[in-house]
């Protein structure tokens, strides 16, 4: 789980990046006619669809007293692109990676925010946000614009039927590149995540800051390993199906893919790279053109509530930002779902927006066309 603007060529490049890549003023002064009578009304949302899976959506709808109509989530970058699209976002509530999207959502200075302030008096469950997640609160001049909802992380997914538990490569992103599994590897066709993973593996401590020469080195490495790649995938569903069908045995993956495949009976696990899993805090925000501002507030509050927080990992694989989520968890459950991110026992590095996005686009295009 980025950033765009206006109608220039740079904006077109950014949209291209989004396509290849991956969560008030009006609220404070009153919601207006639509919001004031929003209980039970439709509320449109754009977020990772697994966050509103079969066991999760009913909890939110019941507690928020709304009917949620979901948009089709493609990536966090696509979500922010929609936020800045001509004509408005056309969603009541949106959610994407905080570290990656906050520069766009918050804007460069006061008054440049692309979303409306959130009335925190309507989010009583905000007091249960755990300490690590507070980093994902987007605020400026005493107003809150983004509220953390959950954590996700990306790593290497693999079939235990093909990759043995004693495989030395399992402790590194190397599994995604190594010649040993040539023809069994799938790469996600996403410039941001793939270059970040390769950058970490190659020893860059802040890969989002890689300069032209460093990106060229990463490109050279990826091109040399491309011969091992069976295929590229563009959506979570496509990647899951490739693993399920045995066409690939290893891929760059996100936690909902692992959870969904395990529920379907496939022997899929996730690696814990010593370089760190790529993590993100998903934060919710309310577009300025939201038609159901009251409903959006109610949904944010419900997603930080006890029922939703305790079901989130089982229902989607994500880690709730709420303190409720960690009550009564077994050590085995904490280990499987990666709750060590909160206490430091799981090394992670947040997916951040690249210093020079256009160079990343060019680099990934070079890798793909080689």
């Amino acid at each position: 789980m980025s950033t765009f603007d206006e109608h220039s060529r740079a904006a077109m490049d950014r949209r291209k990046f989004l396509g290849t890549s991956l969560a008030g003023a009006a609220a404070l002064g009153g919601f207006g006619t639509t919001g004031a009578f929003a209980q039970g009304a439709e509320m449109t949302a754009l977020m990772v669809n697994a966050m509103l899976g079969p066991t999760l959506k009913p909890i939110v709808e019941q507690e928020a007293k709304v009917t949620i109509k979901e948009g089709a989530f493609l990536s966090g970058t696509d979500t922010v692109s929609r936020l800045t699209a001509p004509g408005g976002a056309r969603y009541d509530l949106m959610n994407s990676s905080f570290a990656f999207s906050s520069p766009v959502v918050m804007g460069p200075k006061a008054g440049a925010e692309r979303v409306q302030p959130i009335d925190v008096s309507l989010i009583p469950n905000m007091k249960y946000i755990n300490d690590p997640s507070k980093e994902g609160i987007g605020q400026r001049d005493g107003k809150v614009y983004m509220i953390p909802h959950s954590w996700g992380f990306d790593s290497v997914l693999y079939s235990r039927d093909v990759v043995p538990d004693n495989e030395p490569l399992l402790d590194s992103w190397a599994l995604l590149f190594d010649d040993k599994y040539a023809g069994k590897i799938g790469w996600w066709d996403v410039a941001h995540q793939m270059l970040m993973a390769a950058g970490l593996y190659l020893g860059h401590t802040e890969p989002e800051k890689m300069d032209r020469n460093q990106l060229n080195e990463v490109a050279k490495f990826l091109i040399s390993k491309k011969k091992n790649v069976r295929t590229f995938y563009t959506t979570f569903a496509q990647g899951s199906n490739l693993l399920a069908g045995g066409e690939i045995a290893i891929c760059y993956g996100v936690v909902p893919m692992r959870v969904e495949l395990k529920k379907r009976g496939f022997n899929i696990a996730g690696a814990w790279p010593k370089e760190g899993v790529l993590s993100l805090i998903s934060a919710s925000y309310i577009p300025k053109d939201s038609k159901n501002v009251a409903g959006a507030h109610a949904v944010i509050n419900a997603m930080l509530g006890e029922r939703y927080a305790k079901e989130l990992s089982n229902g989607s694989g994500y880690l709730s930002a709420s303190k409720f989520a960690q009550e009564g968890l077994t050590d085995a459950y904490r280990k499987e779902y990666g709750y060590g991110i909160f206490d430091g026992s799981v090394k992670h590095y947040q997916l951040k927006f690249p210093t020079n996005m256009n160079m990343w686009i060019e680099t990934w295009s070079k890798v793909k066309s080689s």
Side-chain angles (χ1 to χ4, degrees):
M1 323 142 332
S2 327
T3 277
F4 328 82
D5 227 319
E6 271 75 280
H7 313 293
S8 62
R9 178 177 175 179
M12 294 177 65
D13 286 342
R14 289 179 170 88
R15 286 192 290 273
K16 180 179 179 183
F17 176 68
L18 301 182
T20 62
S21 291
L22 173 211
L28 293 171
F31 300 118
T33 304
T34 303
F37 299 97
Q39 281 199 342
E42 181 178 275
M43 203 281 307
T44 57
L46 184 62
M47 63 182 70
V48 174
N49 296 104
M51 294 176 177
L52 292 170
T55 63
L56 295 165
K57 189 175 183 178
I59 294 173
V60 179
E61 290 185 324
Q62 181 181 36
E63 295 194 354
K65 297 181 174 61
V66 297
T67 298
I68 300 174
K69 181 180 179 181
E70 300 173 64
F73 181 87
L74 297 178
S75 68
T77 51
D78 174 74
T79 299
V80 178
S81 179
R82 293 176 188 236
L83 177 68
T84 60
R90 301 176 187 177
Y91 288 96
D92 299 314
L93 178 67
M94 303 177 82
N95 182 298
S96 58
S97 164
F98 177 82
F100 192 56
S101 60
S102 58
V104 186
V105 175
M106 296 293 295
K109 60 183 180 180
E113 298 85 9
R114 292 182 169 89
V115 296
Q116 58 182 280
I118 295 172
D119 185 348
V120 296
S121 72
L122 300 176
I123 317 292
N125 287 331
M126 192 173 172
K127 64 178 174 288
Y128 299 115
I129 293 174
N130 62 42
D131 287 341
S133 302
K134 290 177 181 177
E135 179 184 346
I137 298 175
Q139 53 191 323
R140 177 183 284 150
D141 295 339
K143 298 178 182 178
V144 171
Y145 296 90
M146 304 177 74
I147 292 181
H149 153 270
S150 63
W151 285 70
F153 60 88
D154 303 350
S155 67
V156 186
L157 299 186
Y158 64 95
S159 169
R160 298 178 68 204
D161 297 331
V162 176
V163 181
D165 290 337
N166 62 351
E167 171 57 69
L169 295 171
L170 281 175
D171 74 343
S172 172
W173 283 99
L175 188 62
L176 197 60
F177 311 116
D178 200 87
D179 299 349
K180 182 175 181 178
Y181 292 99
K184 300 176 181 178
I185 298 171
W187 284 358
W188 192 14
D189 187 7
V190 180
H192 183 221
Q193 277 88 337
M194 287 299 303
L195 293 178
M196 287 284 282
L200 278 181
Y201 173 66
L202 293 174
H204 295 285
T205 56
E206 295 180 299
E208 74 280 1
K209 297 180 181 179
M210 291 186 291
D211 60 24
R212 173 76 68 180
N213 290 335
Q214 292 168 327
L215 283 168
N216 285 340
E217 291 174 1
V218 171
K220 183 178 179 179
F221 168 75
L222 289 174
I223 290 169
S224 73
K225 296 301 182 181
K226 190 177 172 184
K227 66 181 187 297
N228 299 329
V229 178
R230 173 79 171 94
T231 188
F232 288 65
Y233 74 90
T234 57
T235 67
F236 297 164
Q238 184 183 12
S240 294
N241 289 335
L242 289 167
L243 280 171
E247 187 171 344
I248 60 174
I250 298 164
C251 73
Y252 184 108
V254 299
V255 286
M257 291 170 60
R258 173 177 57 81
V259 170
E260 186 263 342
L261 286 168
K262 288 192 70 173
K263 286 182 177 180
R264 290 167 56 192
F266 293 99
N267 197 16
I268 302 297
W272 302 100
K274 61 188 176 185
E275 303 89 0
V277 296
L278 285 167
S279 64
L280 58 90
I281 303 175
S282 291
S284 298
Y285 42 92
I286 304 175
K288 289 185 175 180
D289 58 346
S290 173
K291 300 293 193 299
N292 190 347
V293 179
H297 278 76
V299 168
I300 293 173
N301 190 59
M303 293 177 114
L304 287 172
E306 182 173 5
R307 289 177 62 203
Y308 183 88
K310 289 186 173 180
E311 177 58 26
L312 183 60
S313 291
N314 184 58
S316 69
Y318 289 110
L319 313 178
S320 174
S322 169
K323 295 177 181 177
F324 286 122
Q326 298 190 60
E327 295 178 351
L329 298 185
T330 65
D331 289 343
Y333 191 96
R334 289 177 59 84
K335 182 178 180 180
E336 178 179 357
Y337 286 97
Y339 274 90
I341 281 179
F342 293 138
D343 63 20
S345 59
V346 170
K347 187 175 181 180
H348 66 101
Y349 189 84
Q350 283 200 52
L351 284 158
K352 300 175 183 178
F353 194 77
T355 301
N356 191 321
M357 183 176 60
N358 287 341
M359 286 198 307
W360 284 54
I361 298 169
E362 295 166 9
T363 300
W364 185 241
S365 296
K366 184 190 301 182
V367 172
K368 289 186 63 182
S369 63
S370 64

